[in-house]
Amino acid sequence: MLHKVVTMSLALTLAALLLSLTALPEEPLSFPLQSALASDEPSDAAEDEPEAVQEDEAAESDVREAAPSAEGAEDEDVSSVSAENSQEESAQVGDPLVPETLNVLLPDGTVEEMALEDYLWGVVAAEMPAAFEAEALKAQAVAARTYTCYQAARTKDAHPDADVCTDYSCCQAWISREDRMAAWAEDKGEEYAAKITAAVEGTAGEILTWEGEAALTVFHAASADTTRSALEVWGTDLPYLISVSSPESEADTPNYYSVVSFSAQEFSDLFLAAYPDGDLSGDCSEWFGAAETDGSGAVLSVSVGGVEVAGSDLRTLCGLRSPHFEVECGEDTITFYVTGYGHGVGMSQYGANAMAASGSGYQDILSHYYPGTALEG
């Protein structure tokens, strides 16, 4: 029985990016899906798993896209952006860096004007478990506020009349206070609501900037030892989205390791439906070739049945939680051993929680995951 190990990565297919940069380009990047965090398996607006928030897991930023069941999304997160999900955007000149109010496209299709901080409460409540450490929640509040400001400064074809929407696959996950309270356990609702409020109010108006602009503060649920660089994942060299260490582990991250298995016939049917030119005849142990990996060990591309497949595409096809995985081929079984959850770029939510549990403040967490940015507000 021949075993071939392939470590695979989420390489989001972004339409038309990209300029080389030392600062954000005038034409914004097509950003990846944010996590629908309130649970590592998607939260209420989340991803691969049921849309119910689980307080013991964070969702992933690129969730839906990548995971079979939700991550919070992520996730992605979830959780990565495909060319079909990418939106044409254009910077709006003259808008304040941190707007007081936003026009928000709600799930029912209506557009409602909200105070930025009120909207942010719903984002933090949907994107990170309220059971997390207070400093991790503050870091999430700043990252989400910054991401909101980045989005609000651009017009999106998906919702030209709204600054942001509540679809995590386009902007960020969001949940109303009423729905969030109803989803929390009755004996935890008031406590959790107070923690979210403290995180938002305790960082009121604060965002991360790079060269005077709101930074692209993407995040994901859990890394595999290190985060990934935007350059390796999306082809965009953002100096503050580089690979850094991340302290989460199996001990403090639910489903840090996950397993997805297929029979040889199941995988063959799935793969050939998407890649009809593939040759999956013979022993399944011979189907996988050498993989191209990035600096973190995630797969960028791999040969399957003679077809070169992007790591992000194979991850989506097989419903894997993360780009970091190994493939074990048996006589009639193909098994993926996966580590982490999400695209791996920017702040790891479980990593942020581990740092907070070890005594790090939210400023330290943010400067670690987004090095070189300035905390302003």
Side-chain angles (χ1 to χ4, degrees):
M1 185 186 307
L2 175 61
H3 297 295
K4 292 196 175 183
V5 172
V6 190
T7 312
M8 152 173 181
S9 142
L10 153 57
L12 300 182
T13 330
L14 293 179
L17 342 220
L18 307 328
L19 329 174
S20 70
L21 350 352
T22 49
L24 291 174
E26 286 187 11
E27 287 301 317
L29 309 179
S30 297
F31 26 75
L33 311 180
Q34 283 301 53
S35 354
L37 283 193
S39 88
D40 199 32
E41 316 309 281
S43 61
D44 283 289
E47 313 177 24
D48 351 10
E49 308 220 286
E51 292 185 331
V53 177
Q54 329 227 328
E55 286 311 315
D56 57 339
E57 299 186 308
E60 127 62 307
S61 272
D62 58 342
V63 172
R64 199 66 141 203
E65 144 266 0
S69 47
E71 160 192 286
E74 149 277 359
D75 315 274
E76 290 123 54
D77 259 54
V78 298
S79 29
S80 59
V81 156
S82 64
E84 305 88 73
N85 290 330
S86 299
Q87 307 292 336
E88 288 299 320
E89 306 159 341
S90 60
Q92 298 175 357
V93 180
D95 286 350
L97 201 58
V98 183
E100 292 184 5
T101 62
L102 299 166
N103 288 321
V104 181
L105 177 62
L106 298 175
D108 64 4
T110 61
V111 175
E112 179 179 330
E113 183 178 17
M114 295 184 194
L116 170 62
E117 301 302 297
D118 290 341
Y119 163 77
L120 190 65
W121 194 99
V123 173
V124 176
E127 291 283 13
M128 178 175 276
F132 271 23
E133 298 285 335
E135 294 300 300
L137 288 165
K138 287 182 180 180
Q140 181 67 59
V142 175
R145 184 183 294 109
T146 304
Y147 189 81
T148 299
C149 293
Y150 180 90
Q151 293 267 43
R154 290 149 178 87
T155 297
K156 301 193 69 158
D157 285 350
H159 43 78
D161 297 325
D163 300 306
V164 293
C165 70
T166 58
D167 180 358
Y168 68 86
S169 67
C170 179
C171 294
Q172 295 178 104
W174 177 88
I175 187 172
S176 69
R177 188 181 294 259
E178 295 73 18
D179 288 345
R180 181 66 279 191
M181 292 293 291
W184 279 324
E186 187 174 347
D187 62 340
K188 290 291 186 178
E190 293 301 325
E191 174 191 345
Y192 286 165
K195 289 183 68 177
I196 300 296
T197 298
V200 173
E201 293 183 352
T203 63
E206 294 183 348
I207 66 169
L208 295 175
T209 63
W210 175 265
E211 297 291 334
E213 299 289 340
L216 181 59
T217 49
V218 295
F219 46 89
H220 60 283
S223 296
D225 295 328
T226 61
T227 65
R228 304 173 64 204
S229 74
L231 179 61
E232 289 183 310
V233 178
W234 301 312
T236 307
D237 188 12
L238 288 170
Y240 55 86
L241 290 180
I242 59 175
S243 179
V244 300
S245 62
S246 195
E248 66 270 53
S249 66
E250 181 181 16
D252 52 35
T253 307
N255 298 319
Y256 186 64
Y257 297 113
S258 56
V259 178
V260 177
S261 296
F262 301 91
S263 69
Q265 188 62 56
E266 287 172 338
F267 181 83
S268 178
D269 292 344
L270 181 68
F271 185 82
L272 293 179
Y275 300 94
D277 293 335
D279 178 8
L280 297 186
S281 60
D283 194 311
C284 64
S285 64
E286 301 294 336
W287 291 353
F288 290 87
E292 177 188 1
T293 61
D294 66 13
S296 72
V299 169
L300 295 175
S301 65
V302 59
S303 175
V304 183
V307 178
E308 197 70 16
V309 182
S312 58
D313 294 338
L314 187 57
R315 176 192 171 193
T316 300
L317 183 68
C318 296
L320 308 179
R321 292 165 60 89
S322 161
H324 293 84
F325 69 83
E326 297 180 345
V327 181
E328 182 177 82
C329 303
E331 292 181 0
D332 189 45
T333 303
I334 294 174
T335 303
F336 294 85
Y337 296 95
V338 188
T339 303
Y341 196 179
H343 52 56
V345 183
M347 185 179 73
S348 162
Q349 295 168 316
Y350 275 99
N353 198 48
M355 288 184 66
S358 296
S360 295
Y362 76 96
Q363 301 96 328
D364 296 326
I365 294 170
L366 293 168
S367 63
H368 176 74
Y369 285 108
Y370 306 108
T373 58
L375 180 62
E376 298 184 10

